[in-house]
Coordinates of all heavy atoms in Angstrom, one line a residue:
W1 N 0.8 -1.2 0.0 CA 0.0 0.0 0.0 C 0.9 1.3 0.0 O 2.0 1.2 0.4 CB -1.0 0.0 1.2 CG -0.4 -0.3 2.5 CD1 -0.3 -1.5 3.2 CD2 0.3 0.7 3.4 NE1 0.3 -1.3 4.4 CE2 0.7 0.0 4.6 CE3 0.6 2.0 3.3 CZ2 1.3 0.6 5.6 CZ3 1.2 2.6 4.4 CH2 1.6 1.9 5.5
T2 N 0.3 2.4 -0.4 CA 1.0 3.7 -0.4 C 0.1 4.7 0.1 O -1.1 4.5 0.2 CB 1.4 4.1 -1.8 OG1 0.3 4.2 -2.6 CG2 2.4 3.1 -2.5
V3 N 0.7 5.8 0.6 CA -0.1 6.9 1.1 C 0.2 8.1 0.2 O 1.3 8.6 0.1 CB 0.3 7.3 2.6 CG1 -0.4 8.5 3.1 CG2 -0.1 6.1 3.5
E4 N -0.9 8.6 -0.4 CA -0.7 9.8 -1.3 C -0.3 11.0 -0.4 O -0.8 11.3 0.6 CB -2.1 10.1 -1.9 CG -2.0 11.3 -2.9 CD -3.3 11.5 -3.6 OE1 -4.1 10.6 -3.7 OE2 -3.5 12.6 -4.1
G5 N 0.8 11.6 -0.9 CA 1.4 12.8 -0.2 C 2.2 12.4 1.0 O 2.7 13.4 1.7
G6 N 2.4 11.2 1.3 CA 3.2 10.8 2.4 C 4.7 11.2 2.2 O 5.3 10.8 1.1
I7 N 5.3 11.8 3.2 CA 6.7 12.3 3.0 C 7.6 11.7 4.0 O 8.8 11.7 3.8 CB 6.8 13.8 3.0 CG1 6.3 14.4 4.3 CG2 6.1 14.4 1.8 CD1 6.5 15.9 4.5
Q8 N 7.1 11.2 5.2 CA 8.0 10.7 6.2 C 7.2 9.8 7.2 O 6.1 10.1 7.7 CB 8.6 11.9 7.0 CG 9.6 11.5 8.0 CD 10.2 12.7 8.8 OE1 9.8 13.8 8.5 NE2 11.1 12.5 9.7
V9 N 7.8 8.6 7.5 CA 7.3 7.8 8.5 C 7.9 8.3 9.8 O 9.1 8.4 10.0 CB 7.7 6.3 8.3 CG1 7.3 5.4 9.5 CG2 7.0 5.7 7.0
L10 N 7.0 8.7 10.7 CA 7.4 9.3 12.0 C 7.5 8.3 13.1 O 8.3 8.4 14.1 CB 6.6 10.4 12.4 CG 6.7 11.7 11.5 CD1 5.7 12.7 11.9 CD2 8.1 12.2 11.5
A11 N 6.6 7.2 13.1 CA 6.6 6.2 14.2 C 5.9 5.0 13.7 O 5.1 5.1 12.7 CB 5.9 6.8 15.4
T12 N 6.1 3.9 14.3 CA 5.4 2.7 14.1 C 5.2 1.9 15.4 O 5.9 2.2 16.4 CB 6.2 1.7 13.1 OG1 7.4 1.3 13.8 CG2 6.5 2.4 11.8
D13 N 4.1 1.1 15.4 CA 4.0 0.2 16.5 C 3.5 -1.1 15.9 O 3.6 -1.3 14.7 CB 3.0 0.7 17.6 CG 1.6 1.0 17.1 OD1 1.1 0.4 16.1 OD2 0.9 1.9 17.7
E14 N 3.0 -2.1 16.7 CA 2.7 -3.4 16.2 C 1.6 -3.4 15.1 O 1.6 -4.2 14.2 CB 2.3 -4.3 17.3 CG 3.3 -4.6 18.4 CD 3.3 -3.4 19.4 OE1 2.3 -2.8 19.6 OE2 4.4 -3.2 19.9
R15 N 0.7 -2.4 15.2 CA -0.4 -2.4 14.3 C -0.5 -1.3 13.3 O -1.2 -1.3 12.3 CB -1.7 -2.4 15.1 CG -1.9 -3.6 16.0 CD -3.1 -3.6 16.9 NE -4.3 -2.9 16.3 CZ -5.2 -2.2 16.9 NH1 -5.1 -2.1 18.2 NH2 -6.2 -1.7 16.3
T16 N 0.3 -0.2 13.6 CA 0.0 1.1 12.9 C 1.3 1.7 12.5 O 2.3 1.7 13.2 CB -0.7 2.0 13.8 OG1 -1.9 1.4 14.3 CG2 -1.2 3.3 13.1
V17 N 1.3 2.4 11.3 CA 2.4 3.2 10.8 C 1.9 4.7 10.8 O 0.8 4.9 10.3 CB 2.8 2.8 9.4 CG1 3.9 3.7 8.9 CG2 3.2 1.3 9.3
Y18 N 2.6 5.6 11.4 CA 2.2 7.0 11.5 C 3.0 7.8 10.5 O 4.2 7.9 10.6 CB 2.5 7.5 12.9 CG 1.7 6.6 13.9 CD1 2.3 5.5 14.5 CD2 0.4 6.9 14.2 CE1 1.6 4.7 15.4 CE2 -0.3 6.1 15.1 CZ 0.3 5.1 15.7 OH -0.4 4.3 16.6
I19 N 2.3 8.3 9.5 CA 3.0 8.9 8.4 C 2.6 10.4 8.3 O 1.4 10.8 8.4 CB 2.5 8.2 7.1 CG1 2.9 6.8 7.1 CG2 3.1 8.9 5.8 CD1 2.3 5.9 6.0
L20 N 3.6 11.3 8.1 CA 3.4 12.7 7.9 C 3.2 12.9 6.4 O 4.0 12.5 5.6 CB 4.6 13.5 8.4 CG 4.6 15.0 8.2 CD1 3.5 15.6 9.1 CD2 5.9 15.6 8.5
R21 N 2.1 13.6 6.1 CA 1.8 14.0 4.7 C 2.4 15.4 4.4 O 2.7 16.1 5.3 CB 0.3 13.9 4.4 CG -0.2 12.5 4.5 CD -1.7 12.4 4.2 NE -2.3 13.6 3.9 CZ -3.5 13.7 3.3 NH1 -4.2 12.7 3.1 NH2 -4.1 14.9 3.1
S22 N 2.5 15.7 3.1 CA 3.0 17.0 2.7 C 2.2 18.2 3.2 O 2.7 19.3 3.3 CB 3.2 17.0 1.2 OG 2.0 16.8 0.5
D23 N 0.9 17.9 3.5 CA 0.1 19.0 4.0 C 0.1 19.1 5.5 O -0.8 19.7 6.1 CB -1.4 18.8 3.5 CG -2.0 17.5 3.9 OD1 -1.3 16.7 4.6 OD2 -3.2 17.3 3.6
K24 N 1.1 18.4 6.1 CA 1.3 18.4 7.6 C 0.2 17.7 8.4 O -0.1 18.1 9.5 CB 1.6 19.8 8.2 CG 2.9 20.4 7.6 CD 3.2 21.6 8.3 CE 4.6 22.2 7.9 NZ 4.9 23.5 8.5
Q25 N -0.5 16.8 7.7 CA -1.5 16.0 8.4 C -0.7 14.7 8.8 O 0.0 14.1 8.0 CB -2.6 15.6 7.5 CG -3.5 16.8 7.1 CD -4.2 17.4 8.3 OE1 -4.9 16.8 9.0 NE2 -3.9 18.7 8.5
L26 N -1.0 14.2 10.0 CA -0.4 12.9 10.4 C -1.5 11.9 10.1 O -2.7 12.0 10.5 CB -0.1 12.9 11.9 CG 0.4 11.6 12.4 CD1 1.8 11.4 11.9 CD2 0.4 11.6 14.0
L27 N -1.1 10.8 9.4 CA -2.1 9.8 9.1 C -1.6 8.5 9.8 O -0.5 8.1 9.6 CB -2.1 9.6 7.6 CG -3.2 8.7 7.0 CD1 -4.6 9.2 7.3 CD2 -3.0 8.6 5.5
A28 N -2.5 7.9 10.5 CA -2.3 6.6 11.2 C -2.9 5.5 10.3 O -4.1 5.6 10.0 CB -2.9 6.6 12.5
V29 N -2.0 4.6 9.8 CA -2.4 3.7 8.8 C -2.2 2.3 9.3 O -1.2 2.0 9.9 CB -1.6 3.8 7.5 CG1 -1.9 2.8 6.5 CG2 -1.7 5.2 6.9
D30 N -3.2 1.4 9.2 CA -3.1 0.0 9.6 C -1.9 -0.6 8.8 O -1.9 -0.6 7.6 CB -4.4 -0.7 9.3 CG -4.3 -2.2 9.7 OD1 -3.7 -3.0 9.0 OD2 -5.0 -2.5 10.7
R31 N -1.0 -1.2 9.5 CA 0.2 -1.8 9.0 C -0.1 -2.8 7.9 O 0.6 -3.0 6.9 CB 1.1 -2.3 10.1 CG 2.4 -2.9 9.6 CD 3.1 -3.6 10.8 NE 3.6 -2.7 11.7 CZ 4.9 -2.2 11.6 NH1 5.6 -2.6 10.7 NH2 5.3 -1.3 12.5
N32 N -1.1 -3.6 8.2 CA -1.4 -4.8 7.3 C -2.3 -4.4 6.1 O -2.1 -4.9 5.0 CB -2.1 -5.9 8.1 CG -1.1 -6.5 9.1 OD1 0.1 -6.7 8.8 ND2 -1.6 -6.7 10.3
T33 N -3.3 -3.6 6.3 CA -4.3 -3.3 5.3 C -4.1 -2.0 4.5 O -4.6 -1.8 3.4 CB -5.7 -3.2 5.9 OG1 -5.8 -2.1 6.7 CG2 -6.1 -4.5 6.6
G34 N -3.3 -1.1 5.1 CA -3.1 0.2 4.5 C -4.3 1.2 4.7 O -4.3 2.3 4.2
K35 N -5.3 0.8 5.5 CA -6.5 1.6 5.7 C -6.2 2.6 6.8 O -5.5 2.3 7.8 CB -7.7 0.8 6.1 CG -8.2 0.0 5.0 CD -9.5 -0.8 5.4 CE -10.0 -1.6 4.2 NZ -11.2 -2.3 4.5
A36 N -6.7 3.9 6.6 CA -6.5 4.9 7.6 C -7.3 4.6 8.9 O -8.4 4.2 8.8 CB -6.9 6.2 7.0
R37 N -6.6 4.8 10.0 CA -7.3 4.6 11.3 C -7.7 6.0 11.8 O -8.8 6.1 12.3 CB -6.3 4.0 12.3 CG -5.9 2.6 12.0 CD -5.0 2.1 13.2 NE -4.5 0.7 12.9 CZ -5.2 -0.3 13.3 NH1 -6.3 -0.2 14.0 NH2 -4.7 -1.5 13.1
F38 N -6.9 7.0 11.7 CA -7.3 8.4 12.1 C -6.2 9.3 11.5 O -5.2 8.9 11.0 CB -7.3 8.6 13.6 CG -6.0 8.5 14.3 CD1 -5.2 9.6 14.5 CD2 -5.6 7.3 14.9 CE1 -4.0 9.6 15.2 CE2 -4.4 7.2 15.6 CZ -3.6 8.4 15.7
S39 N -6.5 10.6 11.5 CA -5.6 11.6 11.1 C -5.6 12.7 12.1 O -6.5 12.9 12.9 CB -5.9 12.1 9.7 OG -7.2 12.8 9.7
G40 N -4.5 13.5 12.1 CA -4.4 14.6 13.0 C -3.7 15.8 12.3 O -2.8 15.6 11.5
D41 N -4.1 17.0 12.6 CA -3.6 18.2 12.0 C -2.3 18.6 12.8 O -2.4 19.0 14.0 CB -4.6 19.3 12.1 CG -4.1 20.6 11.4 OD1 -3.1 20.5 10.7 OD2 -4.8 21.6 11.6
L42 N -1.2 18.7 12.1 CA 0.1 19.1 12.7 C 0.6 20.4 12.0 O 1.8 20.7 12.1 CB 1.1 18.0 12.6 CG 0.8 16.7 13.4 CD1 1.9 15.7 13.2 CD2 0.6 17.0 14.9
S43 N -0.3 21.1 11.4 CA 0.1 22.3 10.5 C 0.7 23.4 11.3 O 1.4 24.3 10.8 CB -1.1 22.7 9.7 OG -2.1 23.2 10.5
E44 N 0.5 23.5 12.6 CA 1.1 24.5 13.4 C 2.6 24.3 13.7 O 3.3 25.2 14.2 CB 0.4 24.7 14.8 CG 0.5 23.5 15.7 CD -0.3 23.7 17.0 OE1 0.2 24.5 17.9 OE2 -1.3 23.1 17.1
Y45 N 3.1 23.2 13.3 CA 4.5 22.8 13.6 C 5.4 22.9 12.3 O 4.9 22.8 11.2 CB 4.6 21.4 14.2 CG 3.8 21.3 15.5 CD1 2.6 20.6 15.5 CD2 4.3 21.9 16.6 CE1 1.9 20.6 16.6 CE2 3.6 21.8 17.8 CZ 2.3 21.1 17.8 OH 1.6 21.0 18.9
D46 N 6.7 23.1 12.6 CA 7.6 23.3 11.5 C 8.6 22.2 11.3 O 9.1 21.9 10.2 CB 8.4 24.6 11.7 CG 7.5 25.8 11.8 OD1 6.7 26.1 10.8 OD2 7.5 26.4 12.9
L47 N 8.9 21.5 12.4 CA 9.9 20.4 12.4 C 9.3 19.2 13.0 O 8.6 19.3 14.0 CB 11.2 20.9 13.2 CG 11.8 22.1 12.7 CD1 12.9 22.6 13.8 CD2 12.5 21.9 11.4
F48 N 9.7 18.0 12.5 CA 9.2 16.7 13.0 C 10.3 15.7 13.1 O 11.2 15.7 12.3 CB 8.1 16.2 12.0 CG 7.0 17.2 11.8 CD1 7.1 18.1 10.7 CD2 5.9 17.2 12.6 CE1 6.1 19.0 10.5 CE2 4.9 18.1 12.4 CZ 5.0 19.0 11.3
A49 N 10.2 14.9 14.2 CA 11.1 13.8 14.3 C 10.4 12.6 15.0 O 9.5 12.8 15.8 CB 12.3 14.2 15.2
G50 N 10.8 11.4 14.6 CA 10.3 10.2 15.3 C 11.3 9.6 16.2 O 12.4 10.2 16.3
S51 N 11.0 8.5 16.7 CA 11.9 7.8 17.6 C 12.1 6.4 17.0 O 11.1 5.7 16.6 CB 11.4 7.7 19.0 OG 12.2 6.8 19.8
A52 N 13.3 5.9 17.0 CA 13.6 4.5 16.6 C 13.3 3.5 17.7 O 13.3 2.3 17.4 CB 15.1 4.4 16.1
T53 N 13.2 3.9 18.9 CA 13.0 3.0 20.0 C 11.6 2.9 20.6 O 11.3 2.0 21.4 CB 14.0 3.3 21.1 OG1 13.8 4.7 21.6 CG2 15.5 3.2 20.6
E54 N 10.8 3.9 20.3 CA 9.4 3.9 20.9 C 8.5 4.6 20.0 O 8.9 5.5 19.2 CB 9.4 4.5 22.3 CG 9.9 5.9 22.4 CD 10.0 6.4 23.8 OE1 9.3 5.9 24.7 OE2 10.7 7.4 24.0
P55 N 7.2 4.3 20.0 CA 6.3 5.0 19.1 C 5.9 6.4 19.6 O 4.8 6.6 20.1 CB 5.1 4.1 19.0 CG 5.1 3.3 20.3 CD 6.6 3.2 20.7
V56 N 6.8 7.4 19.4 CA 6.5 8.7 19.8 C 6.9 9.6 18.6 O 7.7 9.3 17.8 CB 7.2 9.2 21.1 CG1 6.7 8.4 22.3 CG2 8.7 9.2 20.9
I57 N 6.2 10.8 18.6 CA 6.5 11.8 17.5 C 6.8 13.1 18.2 O 6.1 13.5 19.1 CB 5.3 12.0 16.6 CG1 5.1 10.6 15.9 CG2 5.5 13.1 15.6 CD1 3.7 10.6 15.2
Y58 N 7.9 13.8 17.8 CA 8.2 15.1 18.3 C 7.9 16.1 17.2 O 8.3 15.9 16.1 CB 9.7 15.1 18.7 CG 10.0 14.2 19.8 CD1 10.5 12.9 19.5 CD2 9.9 14.6 21.1 CE1 10.8 12.0 20.6 CE2 10.1 13.7 22.2 CZ 10.6 12.4 21.9 OH 10.9 11.5 22.9
A59 N 7.3 17.2 17.6 CA 6.9 18.3 16.7 C 7.4 19.6 17.4 O 7.2 19.7 18.6 CB 5.4 18.3 16.4
A60 N 7.9 20.5 16.6 CA 8.4 21.8 17.1 C 8.1 22.9 16.2 O 8.0 22.8 15.0 CB 9.9 21.7 17.3
T61 N 7.9 24.1 16.8 CA 7.7 25.3 16.1 C 9.1 26.0 16.0 O 10.0 25.7 16.8 CB 6.7 26.3 16.8 OG1 7.3 26.7 18.0 CG2 5.4 25.6 17.0
E62 N 9.2 27.0 15.1 CA 10.4 27.7 14.9 C 10.7 28.6 16.1 O 11.8 29.0 16.4 CB 10.3 28.6 13.7 CG 10.5 27.8 12.4 CD 10.5 28.6 11.1 OE1 10.5 29.9 11.2 OE2 10.6 28.0 10.1
S63 N 9.6 28.9 16.9 CA 9.8 29.7 18.1 C 10.3 28.9 19.3 O 10.5 29.5 20.4 CB 8.5 30.5 18.5 OG 7.5 29.5 18.8
G64 N 10.4 27.6 19.2 CA 11.0 26.8 20.3 C 10.0 25.9 21.0 O 10.4 25.2 21.9
R65 N 8.7 25.9 20.7 CA 7.8 25.0 21.4 C 8.0 23.6 20.8 O 8.0 23.4 19.6 CB 6.4 25.5 21.1 CG 5.3 24.7 21.8 CD 3.9 25.3 21.7 NE 3.0 24.5 22.4 CZ 2.0 23.8 21.8 NH1 1.8 23.8 20.5 NH2 1.2 23.1 22.6
V66 N 8.1 22.7 21.8 CA 8.3 21.3 21.4 C 7.2 20.5 22.0 O 6.9 20.6 23.2 CB 9.7 20.8 21.9 CG1 9.8 19.3 21.5 CG2 10.8 21.6 21.2
V67 N 6.6 19.6 21.3 CA 5.5 18.7 21.8 C 5.9 17.3 21.5 O 6.4 17.0 20.4 CB 4.2 19.1 21.1 CG1 3.1 18.1 21.6 CG2 3.8 20.5 21.4
R68 N 5.7 16.4 22.4 CA 5.9 15.0 22.3 C 4.5 14.4 22.2 O 3.6 14.5 23.1 CB 6.6 14.4 23.5 CG 6.6 12.9 23.5 CD 7.2 12.4 24.8 NE 6.9 11.0 25.0 CZ 7.8 10.1 25.2 NH1 9.0 10.4 25.3 NH2 7.4 8.8 25.4
Y69 N 4.2 13.8 21.0 CA 3.0 13.1 20.8 C 3.2 11.6 21.0 O 4.1 11.0 20.5 CB 2.4 13.3 19.4 CG 1.8 14.7 19.2 CD1 2.6 15.7 18.6 CD2 0.5 15.0 19.6 CE1 2.0 17.0 18.4 CE2 0.0 16.2 19.4 CZ 0.7 17.2 18.8 OH 0.1 18.4 18.6
E70 N 2.2 11.0 21.7 CA 2.2 9.5 21.8 C 1.0 9.0 21.0 O -0.1 9.1 21.5 CB 2.1 9.1 23.3 CG 3.4 9.6 24.0 CD 3.3 9.1 25.5 OE1 2.7 8.1 25.8 OE2 4.0 9.8 26.3
P71 N 1.2 8.5 19.8 CA 0.1 8.1 19.0 C -0.4 6.8 19.6 O 0.3 5.9 20.1 CB 0.7 7.8 17.6 CG 2.2 7.9 17.7 CD 2.5 8.4 19.1
N72 N -1.8 6.7 19.5 CA -2.5 5.5 20.0 C -3.5 5.1 18.9 O -4.4 5.9 18.6 CB -3.1 5.7 21.3 CG -3.9 4.5 21.8 OD1 -4.7 3.9 21.1 ND2 -3.6 4.1 23.0
A73 N -3.4 4.0 18.3 CA -4.2 3.6 17.2 C -5.7 3.6 17.5 O -6.6 3.8 16.7 CB -3.9 2.2 16.7
N74 N -6.0 3.5 18.8 CA -7.4 3.5 19.2 C -7.9 4.8 19.7 O -9.1 5.1 19.6 CB -7.7 2.4 20.3 CG -7.4 1.0 19.8 OD1 -7.7 0.7 18.7 ND2 -6.6 0.3 20.6
A75 N -7.0 5.7 20.2 CA -7.5 6.9 20.8 C -6.9 8.2 20.2 O -7.2 9.3 20.6 CB -7.0 6.9 22.3
G76 N -6.2 8.1 19.1 CA -5.6 9.3 18.5 C -4.3 9.7 19.0 O -3.5 8.8 19.4
L77 N -4.1 11.0 19.2 CA -2.8 11.5 19.6 C -3.0 12.1 21.1 O -3.9 12.7 21.4 CB -2.3 12.7 18.7 CG -2.0 12.3 17.3 CD1 -1.7 13.6 16.5 CD2 -0.8 11.4 17.3
T78 N -2.0 11.8 21.9 CA -1.9 12.4 23.2 C -0.6 13.2 23.2 O 0.5 12.7 22.9 CB -1.8 11.3 24.3 OG1 -2.9 10.4 24.2 CG2 -1.7 11.9 25.7
A79 N -0.7 14.5 23.7 CA 0.4 15.4 23.6 C 0.9 15.8 25.0 O 0.1 16.0 25.9 CB 0.0 16.6 22.8
S80 N 2.2 16.1 25.1 CA 2.7 16.7 26.2 C 3.7 17.8 25.7 O 4.5 17.5 24.9 CB 3.4 15.7 27.1 OG 4.5 15.1 26.5
A81 N 3.5 19.0 26.1 CA 4.3 20.2 25.6 C 5.4 20.5 26.5 O 5.4 20.4 27.7 CB 3.4 21.4 25.4
R82 N 6.5 21.0 25.8 CA 7.6 21.6 26.5 C 7.8 23.0 25.9 O 7.9 23.1 24.7 CB 8.9 20.8 26.3 CG 8.8 19.4 26.7 CD 9.5 19.1 28.0 NE 9.6 17.7 28.3 CZ 8.7 17.0 28.9 NH1 7.6 17.5 29.2 NH2 9.0 15.8 29.2
E83 N 7.8 24.0 26.7 CA 8.0 25.4 26.2 C 9.5 25.8 26.3 O 10.2 25.4 27.2 CB 7.1 26.4 27.0 CG 5.7 26.1 26.9 CD 5.0 26.3 25.6 OE1 5.5 27.2 24.8 OE2 4.0 25.7 25.3

């Protein structure tokens, strides 16, 4: 399967791949079927990074705000901010 506009895999877990699209939407995709589970708007952020060791996503603004998102295939995104 492919994701239209997908530019970066930010995180994965056993069931889901979390993909950043070119329009700064985060798309959670079922690893096996390629079907979307949920999406989230990350357009307020400028920089993105994933983790190779755990399913988390880091998003930052140019002004220095950093947010750690913990994606959950069933519940969407949970955020914790660092100013």
